[in-house]
Amino acid sequence: MIENSQQRRMTRQRQVLLEELCKLRTHPTADELYLLVKKRLPRISMGTVYRNLELLTGEGKIRTIDHGGMPRRYDGDVKPHLHVQCTKCNRLVDVMEVELPTQLDDIKVPGWTITGQEVIIQGICDQCQGS
Amino acid sequence: MIENSQQRRMTRQRQVLLEELCKLRTHPTADELYLLVKKRLPRISMGTVYRNLELLTGEGKIRTIDHGGMPRRYDGDVKPHLHVQCTKCNRLVDVMEVELPTQLDDIKVPGWTITGQEVIIQGICDQCQGS
DNA sequence: ATCAATGCAAAGACTTTGCAGTTGG
DNA sequence: CCAACTGCAAAGTCTTTGCATTGAT
């Protein structure tokens, strides 16, 4: 858990991490991102990657996608949109052509404050169709 | 990974696990379920719990809910329904009053075979409102 | 009898954390 | 300057797996 701090610093690591993630239209795992950022900052550590991913998510600058198939994925696009995930290979892909069902915005639960939603459509991707 | 077997045996462990899960209207973790089943079968192991939860999910007898907040949860109710999850305490609750948006059934992705969907509404639960 | 399934314990995958040293504002 | 941040390595948490044994059919 990262505590709320008033004074936040834009370190080179944080900067580069954010840049690299936003550059992608895929949804890398922490590890994939680590390898990517490592090319520019060879001494960066996994700890820093995880800490910054959590922090940036908290600030609303990126999105953490918690989903099936263990390793978390991250998304540089915070605009609400749908994801499809392959139940065979766990590939996670944007679906920009389809709108998020508006019905979801209207959902109310007594006693709860609704803040968002996570919708993951499941299926078999084109590459896994044959197997 | 559990391979597809033609010859499946209904062991006491499998039986009791399924019974206990279906008895609940909550969504226990593997560990919570383990403790529960242990009361009736004191020698059961976590390995068996995990293996059976995966197997029963594959058979469509239960549902595995992969969601934010690490430990997986399991649901004895396989009828499609919505879940709300508290982003503070990770509590996961059914929302039976609200229908799953029908728009989700119509979603098509070129090249993919859609098999299902996972919708988790996020919010702050009644118990966490104050903090 | 046969082979799927179990218990156990060890290994694995992913993530978090403590700490001493750095560094951005 | 000094608290936020880092790298490193160790610890944690959850899940999977190998293997000898057991048990359902």
Side-chain angles (χ1 to χ4, degrees), chain A residues 1 9-11 30 47 50-51 71-72:
Chain A
M1 201 71 210
R9 294 170 186 174
M10 183 47 74
T11 60
Y50 275 112
R51 274 184 289 231
R72 258 170 220 163

Short mmCIF file of all heavy atoms in Angstrom, two decimals, chain A residues 1 9-11 30 47 50-51 71-72, chain C residues 13-19 23-25:
data_model
loop_
_atom_site.label_atom_id
_atom_site.label_comp_id
_atom_site.label_asym_id
_atom_site.label_seq_id
_atom_site.Cartn_x
_atom_site.Cartn_y
_atom_site.Cartn_z
N MET A 1 0.83 -1.21 0.00
CA MET A 1 0.00 0.00 0.00
C MET A 1 0.86 1.25 0.00
O MET A 1 1.80 1.38 0.78
CB MET A 1 -0.89 -0.01 1.25
CG MET A 1 -2.11 0.87 1.15
SD MET A 1 -3.36 0.25 0.01
CE MET A 1 -4.08 1.77 -0.56
N ARG A 9 6.89 13.55 -6.65
CA ARG A 9 7.97 13.96 -7.54
C ARG A 9 7.91 13.22 -8.87
O ARG A 9 7.69 12.02 -8.90
CB ARG A 9 9.31 13.70 -6.88
CG ARG A 9 9.53 14.56 -5.67
CD ARG A 9 10.74 14.14 -4.88
NE ARG A 9 10.82 14.90 -3.64
CZ ARG A 9 11.71 14.67 -2.70
NH1 ARG A 9 12.57 13.70 -2.83
NH2 ARG A 9 11.71 15.41 -1.61
N MET A 10 8.13 13.93 -9.94
CA MET A 10 8.15 13.27 -11.24
C MET A 10 9.57 12.81 -11.53
O MET A 10 10.38 13.54 -12.07
CB MET A 10 7.65 14.22 -12.33
CG MET A 10 7.56 13.57 -13.71
SD MET A 10 6.75 11.95 -13.77
CE MET A 10 5.04 12.41 -13.56
N THR A 11 9.82 11.59 -11.10
CA THR A 11 11.16 11.06 -11.32
C THR A 11 11.29 10.58 -12.75
O THR A 11 10.30 10.38 -13.45
CB THR A 11 11.43 9.88 -10.39
OG1 THR A 11 10.46 8.87 -10.65
CG2 THR A 11 11.32 10.31 -8.95
N ALA A 30 3.41 -6.09 -15.83
CA ALA A 30 4.46 -5.32 -15.17
C ALA A 30 5.82 -5.74 -15.72
O ALA A 30 6.70 -4.92 -15.97
CB ALA A 30 4.41 -5.53 -13.67
N GLY A 47 10.62 -3.48 -8.37
CA GLY A 47 9.98 -2.79 -7.26
C GLY A 47 9.50 -1.41 -7.66
O GLY A 47 8.36 -1.02 -7.39
N TYR A 50 6.47 -1.66 -10.08
CA TYR A 50 5.21 -1.94 -9.38
C TYR A 50 4.75 -0.73 -8.57
O TYR A 50 3.58 -0.37 -8.58
CB TYR A 50 5.38 -3.14 -8.46
CG TYR A 50 5.17 -4.45 -9.17
CD1 TYR A 50 6.21 -5.33 -9.37
CD2 TYR A 50 3.90 -4.82 -9.63
CE1 TYR A 50 6.01 -6.55 -10.03
CE2 TYR A 50 3.70 -6.02 -10.28
CZ TYR A 50 4.76 -6.89 -10.48
OH TYR A 50 4.55 -8.07 -11.12
N ARG A 51 5.68 -0.11 -7.87
CA ARG A 51 5.29 1.03 -7.04
C ARG A 51 4.72 2.16 -7.89
O ARG A 51 3.70 2.76 -7.55
CB ARG A 51 6.50 1.53 -6.24
CG ARG A 51 6.67 0.78 -4.92
CD ARG A 51 7.82 1.33 -4.07
NE ARG A 51 9.11 1.01 -4.64
CZ ARG A 51 10.11 0.45 -3.96
NH1 ARG A 51 9.96 0.11 -2.71
NH2 ARG A 51 11.27 0.20 -4.54
N PRO A 71 -1.31 -12.63 -14.19
CA PRO A 71 -0.56 -11.37 -14.11
C PRO A 71 -1.40 -10.17 -14.53
O PRO A 71 -2.04 -10.16 -15.56
CB PRO A 71 0.62 -11.58 -15.06
CG PRO A 71 0.29 -12.77 -15.86
CD PRO A 71 -0.69 -13.57 -15.10
N ARG A 72 -1.38 -9.17 -13.68
CA ARG A 72 -2.10 -7.94 -13.94
C ARG A 72 -1.63 -7.28 -15.22
O ARG A 72 -0.48 -7.39 -15.59
CB ARG A 72 -1.79 -6.95 -12.81
CG ARG A 72 -2.88 -6.85 -11.81
CD ARG A 72 -2.43 -6.06 -10.61
NE ARG A 72 -2.94 -6.69 -9.41
CZ ARG A 72 -2.48 -6.45 -8.21
NH1 ARG A 72 -1.48 -5.61 -8.04
NH2 ARG A 72 -3.01 -7.05 -7.17
P DA C 13 7.56 -20.29 -12.99
OP1 DA C 13 7.26 -20.66 -14.39
OP2 DA C 13 8.87 -19.74 -12.60
"O5'" DA C 13 6.43 -19.28 -12.51
"C5'" DA C 13 5.07 -19.63 -12.69
"C4'" DA C 13 4.21 -18.47 -12.28
"O4'" DA C 13 4.23 -18.38 -10.84
"C3'" DA C 13 4.70 -17.13 -12.80
"O3'" DA C 13 3.56 -16.37 -13.19
"C2'" DA C 13 5.40 -16.50 -11.61
"C1'" DA C 13 4.60 -17.08 -10.44
N9 DA C 13 5.34 -17.23 -9.20
C8 DA C 13 6.60 -17.72 -9.04
N7 DA C 13 7.00 -17.77 -7.78
C5 DA C 13 5.91 -17.29 -7.08
C6 DA C 13 5.69 -17.09 -5.70
N6 DA C 13 6.59 -17.38 -4.77
N1 DA C 13 4.49 -16.60 -5.33
C2 DA C 13 3.58 -16.32 -6.28
N3 DA C 13 3.68 -16.46 -7.60
C4 DA C 13 4.88 -16.96 -7.94
P DC C 14 3.78 -15.05 -14.05
OP1 DC C 14 2.70 -15.04 -15.04
OP2 DC C 14 5.20 -14.94 -14.43
"O5'" DC C 14 3.48 -13.93 -12.96
"C5'" DC C 14 2.21 -13.97 -12.31
"C4'" DC C 14 2.26 -13.13 -11.05
"O4'" DC C 14 3.20 -13.67 -10.12
"C3'" DC C 14 2.69 -11.68 -11.24
"O3'" DC C 14 1.54 -10.88 -10.93
"C2'" DC C 14 3.83 -11.47 -10.26
"C1'" DC C 14 3.64 -12.63 -9.29
N1 DC C 14 4.83 -13.12 -8.56
C2 DC C 14 4.80 -13.17 -7.17
O2 DC C 14 3.78 -12.79 -6.59
N3 DC C 14 5.88 -13.63 -6.52
C4 DC C 14 6.95 -14.04 -7.18
N4 DC C 14 7.99 -14.50 -6.48
C5 DC C 14 7.00 -14.02 -8.60
C6 DC C 14 5.92 -13.55 -9.25
P DT C 15 1.57 -9.30 -10.95
OP1 DT C 15 0.20 -8.84 -11.09
OP2 DT C 15 2.63 -8.83 -11.86
"O5'" DT C 15 2.03 -9.01 -9.44
"C5'" DT C 15 1.20 -9.47 -8.40
"C4'" DT C 15 1.72 -9.01 -7.07
"O4'" DT C 15 2.94 -9.69 -6.74
"C3'" DT C 15 2.03 -7.51 -6.98
"O3'" DT C 15 1.17 -6.99 -5.98
"C2'" DT C 15 3.51 -7.44 -6.62
"C1'" DT C 15 3.79 -8.82 -6.05
N1 DT C 15 5.16 -9.37 -6.24
C2 DT C 15 5.88 -9.75 -5.13
O2 DT C 15 5.45 -9.62 -4.00
N3 DT C 15 7.12 -10.26 -5.39
C4 DT C 15 7.70 -10.46 -6.62
O4 DT C 15 8.82 -10.95 -6.72
C5 DT C 15 6.89 -10.04 -7.76
C7 DT C 15 7.44 -10.20 -9.15
C6 DT C 15 5.68 -9.53 -7.52
P DT C 16 1.30 -5.54 -5.42
OP1 DT C 16 -0.03 -5.16 -4.93
OP2 DT C 16 2.01 -4.70 -6.40
"O5'" DT C 16 2.23 -5.72 -4.15
"C5'" DT C 16 1.84 -6.66 -3.16
"C4'" DT C 16 2.82 -6.64 -2.02
"O4'" DT C 16 4.09 -7.15 -2.44
"C3'" DT C 16 3.10 -5.25 -1.43
"O3'" DT C 16 2.97 -5.40 -0.03
"C2'" DT C 16 4.53 -4.94 -1.86
"C1'" DT C 16 5.12 -6.34 -1.94
N1 DT C 16 6.25 -6.55 -2.87
C2 DT C 16 7.38 -7.19 -2.42
O2 DT C 16 7.52 -7.54 -1.26
N3 DT C 16 8.35 -7.40 -3.36
C4 DT C 16 8.29 -7.05 -4.70
O4 DT C 16 9.23 -7.31 -5.45
C5 DT C 16 7.09 -6.38 -5.11
C7 DT C 16 6.93 -5.96 -6.54
C6 DT C 16 6.14 -6.17 -4.19
P DT C 17 3.11 -4.17 0.95
OP1 DT C 17 2.16 -4.41 2.03
OP2 DT C 17 3.05 -2.95 0.14
"O5'" DT C 17 4.59 -4.30 1.54
"C5'" DT C 17 5.14 -5.57 1.75
"C4'" DT C 17 6.49 -5.43 2.43
"O4'" DT C 17 7.52 -5.65 1.44
"C3'" DT C 17 6.79 -4.07 3.04
"O3'" DT C 17 7.61 -4.29 4.18
"C2'" DT C 17 7.57 -3.36 1.95
"C1'" DT C 17 8.37 -4.53 1.38
N1 DT C 17 8.77 -4.41 -0.05
C2 DT C 17 9.93 -5.04 -0.44
O2 DT C 17 10.63 -5.67 0.32
N3 DT C 17 10.22 -4.91 -1.77
C4 DT C 17 9.49 -4.23 -2.72
O4 DT C 17 9.87 -4.20 -3.87
C5 DT C 17 8.30 -3.59 -2.24
C7 DT C 17 7.45 -2.81 -3.18
C6 DT C 17 8.00 -3.70 -0.94
P DG C 18 7.68 -3.20 5.34
OP1 DG C 18 6.89 -3.71 6.46
OP2 DG C 18 7.43 -1.86 4.79
"O5'" DG C 18 9.23 -3.30 5.74
"C5'" DG C 18 9.85 -4.58 5.92
"C4'" DG C 18 11.34 -4.41 6.01
"O4'" DG C 18 11.92 -4.36 4.68
"C3'" DG C 18 11.79 -3.12 6.70
"O3'" DG C 18 13.01 -3.41 7.39
"C2'" DG C 18 11.99 -2.16 5.53
"C1'" DG C 18 12.49 -3.08 4.42
N9 DG C 18 12.09 -2.72 3.06
C8 DG C 18 10.90 -2.17 2.66
N7 DG C 18 10.82 -1.99 1.37
C5 DG C 18 12.04 -2.45 0.88
C6 DG C 18 12.54 -2.52 -0.45
O6 DG C 18 12.00 -2.17 -1.49
N1 DG C 18 13.83 -3.05 -0.48
C2 DG C 18 14.54 -3.48 0.62
N2 DG C 18 15.75 -3.96 0.39
N3 DG C 18 14.08 -3.43 1.86
C4 DG C 18 12.83 -2.90 1.92
P DC C 19 13.72 -2.34 8.31
OP1 DC C 19 14.30 -3.13 9.41
OP2 DC C 19 12.81 -1.20 8.58
"O5'" DC C 19 14.91 -1.85 7.38
"C5'" DC C 19 15.69 -2.82 6.67
"C4'" DC C 19 16.72 -2.11 5.83
"O4'" DC C 19 16.19 -1.91 4.49
"C3'" DC C 19 17.10 -0.72 6.35
"O3'" DC C 19 18.48 -0.54 6.16
"C2'" DC C 19 16.29 0.20 5.45
"C1'" DC C 19 16.39 -0.56 4.14
N1 DC C 19 15.37 -0.19 3.12
C2 DC C 19 15.71 -0.33 1.77
O2 DC C 19 16.81 -0.76 1.46
N3 DC C 19 14.79 0.02 0.84
C4 DC C 19 13.59 0.49 1.21
N4 DC C 19 12.74 0.82 0.25
C5 DC C 19 13.24 0.64 2.58
C6 DC C 19 14.15 0.29 3.49
P DT C 23 21.34 9.74 -7.73
OP1 DT C 23 21.23 9.18 -9.10
OP2 DT C 23 22.51 10.54 -7.30
"O5'" DT C 23 20.03 10.58 -7.44
"C5'" DT C 23 18.75 10.07 -7.83
"C4'" DT C 23 17.73 11.18 -7.61
"O4'" DT C 23 17.53 11.39 -6.20
"C3'" DT C 23 18.12 12.52 -8.18
"O3'" DT C 23 16.94 13.16 -8.61
"C2'" DT C 23 18.66 13.26 -6.98
"C1'" DT C 23 17.67 12.77 -5.93
N1 DT C 23 18.07 12.87 -4.52
C2 DT C 23 17.08 13.06 -3.58
O2 DT C 23 15.90 13.15 -3.87
N3 DT C 23 17.53 13.14 -2.29
C4 DT C 23 18.84 13.04 -1.85
O4 DT C 23 19.10 13.12 -0.66
C5 DT C 23 19.82 12.85 -2.89
C7 DT C 23 21.26 12.75 -2.52
C6 DT C 23 19.40 12.78 -4.15
P DG C 24 16.82 13.68 -10.09
OP1 DG C 24 16.69 12.58 -11.03
OP2 DG C 24 17.90 14.69 -10.22
"O5'" DG C 24 15.41 14.43 -9.99
"C5'" DG C 24 14.24 13.68 -9.70
"C4'" DG C 24 13.30 14.52 -8.88
"O4'" DG C 24 13.85 14.75 -7.55
"C3'" DG C 24 12.99 15.90 -9.43
"O3'" DG C 24 11.62 16.15 -9.18
"C2'" DG C 24 13.90 16.84 -8.64
"C1'" DG C 24 13.97 16.13 -7.30
N9 DG C 24 15.22 16.24 -6.55
C8 DG C 24 16.50 16.17 -7.06
N7 DG C 24 17.42 16.25 -6.12
C5 DG C 24 16.70 16.37 -4.94
C6 DG C 24 17.16 16.48 -3.60
O6 DG C 24 18.33 16.49 -3.18
N1 DG C 24 16.11 16.59 -2.71
C2 DG C 24 14.79 16.59 -3.05
N2 DG C 24 13.93 16.71 -2.05
N3 DG C 24 14.34 16.47 -4.29
C4 DG C 24 15.35 16.37 -5.18
P DG C 25 10.93 17.40 -9.80
OP1 DG C 25 9.55 17.02 -10.14
OP2 DG C 25 11.84 17.95 -10.81
"O5'" DG C 25 10.88 18.41 -8.57
"C5'" DG C 25 9.99 18.11 -7.49
"C4'" DG C 25 10.05 19.24 -6.49
"O4'" DG C 25 11.31 19.20 -5.80
"C3'" DG C 25 9.94 20.64 -7.09
"O3'" DG C 25 9.18 21.46 -6.21
"C2'" DG C 25 11.38 21.12 -7.13
"C1'" DG C 25 11.94 20.46 -5.88
N9 DG C 25 13.38 20.23 -5.86
C8 DG C 25 14.22 20.09 -6.94
N7 DG C 25 15.47 19.90 -6.60
C5 DG C 25 15.46 19.92 -5.21
C6 DG C 25 16.52 19.77 -4.28
O6 DG C 25 17.71 19.57 -4.49
N1 DG C 25 16.05 19.85 -2.97
C2 DG C 25 14.74 20.06 -2.60
N2 DG C 25 14.50 20.11 -1.30
N3 DG C 25 13.75 20.20 -3.47
C4 DG C 25 14.18 20.12 -4.75
#
